[in-house]
Amino acid sequence: MNEQTLALIKKNIRNAMENGTFYAKRFAGINVEDIQTEEDFRKLPFTDKGDLREAYPLGLMAVPEEQVVRIHSSSGTTGTPVIIPYTAQDVTDWAIMFERCYRVAGLTPLDRVHITPGYGLWTAGIGFQNGAERLGAMVIPMGPGNTDKQLRMMQDMGSTVLCATSSYALLLAEEITKRGIKDKIKLKKGVIGSERWGEKMRKRIANELGVQLYDIYGLTEIYGPGIAISCDYEDGMHYWDDYLYFEVIDPKTGKNVPDGTLGELVITTLRKQGAPLIRYRTHDLTRILTGPCPCGCPYPRIDSILGRTDDMIKVKGVNIFPAQIEEMLREVKGTSSEYQVMIDHLNGKDIMTVFFETELPQEQRKDLMGAVQAHCKTKIGIQIVPKAVSMGELPRSEKKSTRIYDNRY
Ligand code: ZN
């Protein structure tokens, strides 16, 4: 942590404590002037999503209300949603970061940006739009769903860039192939966000659409998508360290781990006004990458998101991340990127069944299943029941895919 970052963090904390109730309460008894080093900073308590929920509706607001121009809300799939207030400067800063993302992906004002993430309370669509407009590109603000209309507009407008979740990009790619309209599609790049996705899925989307793909990262609590993106070298994602401070911790102990070690990403905002966050636990699994990127971009990198720390499941006493299953399948020739895991408890034993899609004919699947079983045993240390199914048999979704079904509880 350099001096400038520390100074920004202190200013941020001071503002948050003076102008808002959330950190005034949370950091009561903490003297900002005592934070002199990175070590001091690391002693500050974490902020978790549950804390933000308790502040519902506007408890996170850290500026006088006349400065707030908009709110966004994270999906309330598990109870009370989180409301994040934005000032005009926050909205601008977000667009600046998003424009940087597009520039890293090589977009120009001549691009036509087809935006399929949703608009409204959540941050996706409008974030993609503001960044593209700031760049000077032409926005085609589709929003999600209605595949017929998507493909029609994509052809008629000559969309050159597709912004989508990975599962929706895959669905569109498969439809384009099915309808034989690939030669009428002008897409060159895909900016794909919001979900963890495997290398195989990435390759399938890239091949079927014939485009270069970029992973974009973000979360509503921290502006929204656009705080990090992969570059042409596809080795992690650059993030904007003049706006955000990233740490990686051991999700169990809360201690910082060395660079390069897998753990939970924790983010501190450096300039956010409406709702600054200090040491916010994302529950996203990644690592800090070291060394310069061959693309020459001066911003530091994290690895692509390898999963959620809460996705960790314990089967037969072994901790498993879905990312490991994906990686394991990737290493067995003949398997496709789509998979699904069922965990059951029968006769006192855990049973993990891994369904995966393959293009191989029935008579070759027995050997393939044997190979998957053996590789899983070596790699993850667990005995599974492999089940090969045909391409397209596993469900696709426009929303975040659920791939692991734990039927034990
Ligand atoms: Zn790079």
Side-chain angles (χ1 to χ4, degrees):
M1 178 186 287
N2 62 35
E3 262 176 47
Q4 201 194 354
T5 304
L6 187 63
L8 278 171
I9 286 175
K10 287 170 76 167
K11 189 176 159 207
N12 200 11
I13 297 176
R14 222 177 276 122
N15 284 344
M17 289 177 74
E18 279 167 16
N19 302 316
T21 53
F22 183 74
Y23 279 107
K25 261 192 247 165
R26 247 186 119 59
F27 284 6
I30 291 172
N31 183 352
V32 181
E33 296 322 309
D34 290 343
I35 307 166
Q36 300 287 346
T37 63
E38 188 175 45
E39 279 312 299
D40 298 335
F41 170 73
R42 288 177 173 181
K43 286 181 199 142
L44 293 173
F46 294 114
T47 303
D48 217 325
K49 189 148 182 173
D51 306 319
L52 307 192
R53 280 203 189 99
E54 279 173 27
Y56 183 87
L58 279 171
L60 289 172
M61 192 160 68
V63 290
E65 187 176 335
E66 59 267 31
Q67 292 177 31
V68 172
V69 298
R70 192 201 287 171
I71 60 121
H72 280 292
S73 164
S74 68
S75 54
T77 45
T78 48
T80 316
V82 169
I83 303 287
I84 304 287
Y86 293 65
T87 65
Q89 188 62 49
D90 292 338
V91 170
T92 303
D93 287 347
W94 183 19
I96 290 171
M97 286 188 275
F98 220 122
E99 184 193 352
R100 272 188 204 167
C101 288
Y102 284 135
R103 287 191 186 280
V104 166
L107 270 66
T108 76
L110 284 173
D111 275 302
R112 299 182 180 181
V113 185
H114 192 102
I115 297 172
T116 69
Y119 284 77
L121 273 177
W122 75 308
T123 49
I126 198 159
F128 280 94
Q129 174 156 349
N130 287 349
E133 287 180 356
R134 199 182 160 86
L135 177 74
M138 185 197 294
V139 167
I140 304 157
M142 297 299 299
N146 198 342
T147 303
D148 282 337
K149 195 169 171 191
Q150 299 278 3
L151 296 178
R152 176 79 202 269
M153 287 296 273
M154 203 178 271
Q155 293 172 76
D156 294 351
M157 293 306 302
S159 309
T160 60
V161 178
L162 172 67
C163 301
T165 61
S166 55
S167 45
Y168 197 48
L170 181 59
L171 186 145
L172 287 174
E174 288 176 340
E175 274 304 310
I176 287 167
T177 306
K178 211 195 285 174
R179 298 178 189 201
I181 52 171
K182 200 174 164 185
D183 58 327
K184 297 196 183 95
I185 300 289
K186 297 201 168 58
L187 291 177
K188 287 183 298 193
K189 294 169 193 291
V191 178
I192 309 294
S194 125
E195 275 175 289
R196 181 183 53 75
W197 50 324
E199 197 50 38
K200 278 196 172 175
M201 185 158 175
R202 164 184 266 281
K203 281 210 180 100
R204 274 185 61 202
I205 297 169
N207 288 344
E208 295 213 12
L209 288 177
V211 298
Q212 168 101 29
L213 296 177
Y214 301 86
D215 287 352
I216 196 158
Y217 176 64
L219 52 164
T220 302
E221 296 84 345
I222 314 278
Y223 297 99
I227 64 171
I229 192 165
S230 63
C231 64
D232 286 343
Y233 289 84
E234 294 181 8
D235 186 12
M237 300 184 286
H238 292 280
Y239 68 92
W240 319 125
D241 64 343
D242 48 347
Y243 284 92
L244 303 158
Y245 180 68
F246 280 20
E247 305 170 76
V248 173
I249 61 160
D250 179 323
K252 285 256 160 63
T253 64
K255 295 261 180 290
N256 290 75
V257 299
D259 288 353
T261 307
L262 210 56
E264 178 179 342
L265 179 64
V266 171
I267 303 178
T268 297
T269 62
L270 300 178
R271 298 174 190 272
K272 208 156 181 279
Q273 300 173 333
L277 289 177
I278 295 140
R279 305 201 83 200
Y280 182 66
R281 293 187 68 153
T282 64
H283 295 267
D284 285 328
L285 193 69
T286 185
R287 65 190 128 217
I288 303 272
L289 298 179
T290 52
C293 181
C295 78
C297 172
Y299 290 98
R301 287 172 300 151
I302 52 167
D303 207 340
S304 43
I305 303 302
L306 300 164
R308 296 278 299 165
T309 53
D310 357 72
D311 286 346
M312 195 170 79
I313 36 162
K314 207 167 187 171
V315 183
K316 301 182 188 186
V318 182
N319 285 329
I320 301 172
F321 288 108
Q324 289 175 287
I325 296 169
E326 212 160 279
E327 194 176 54
M328 180 276 293
L329 283 174
R330 186 163 75 228
E331 289 164 359
V332 181
K333 215 176 152 228
T335 64
S336 158
S337 62
E338 294 298 315
Y339 71 95
Q340 204 171 69
V341 176
M342 295 279 179
I343 305 159
D344 297 285
H345 195 76
L346 277 177
N347 305 323
K349 281 200 301 193
D350 287 341
I351 296 167
M352 186 160 121
T353 312
V354 177
F355 295 86
F356 57 92
E357 292 186 356
T358 179
E359 283 172 336
L360 292 182
Q362 280 298 347
E363 61 271 20
Q364 290 175 35
R365 290 186 187 175
K366 199 165 170 249
D367 287 347
L368 180 64
M369 288 193 281
V372 165
Q373 191 178 41
H375 192 55
C376 192
K377 181 79 189 151
T378 324
K379 178 121 187 158
I380 308 177
I382 191 165
Q383 192 75 25
I384 56 154
V385 181
K387 291 256 195 259
V389 299
S390 300
M391 299 299 286
E393 268 191 50
L394 295 174
R396 305 289 192 272
S397 157
E398 290 182 26
K399 293 235 156 87
K400 297 189 183 206
S401 317
T402 313
R403 296 176 189 273
I404 302 217
Y405 294 90
D406 197 340
N407 306 320
R408 290 175 298 180
Y409 309 107

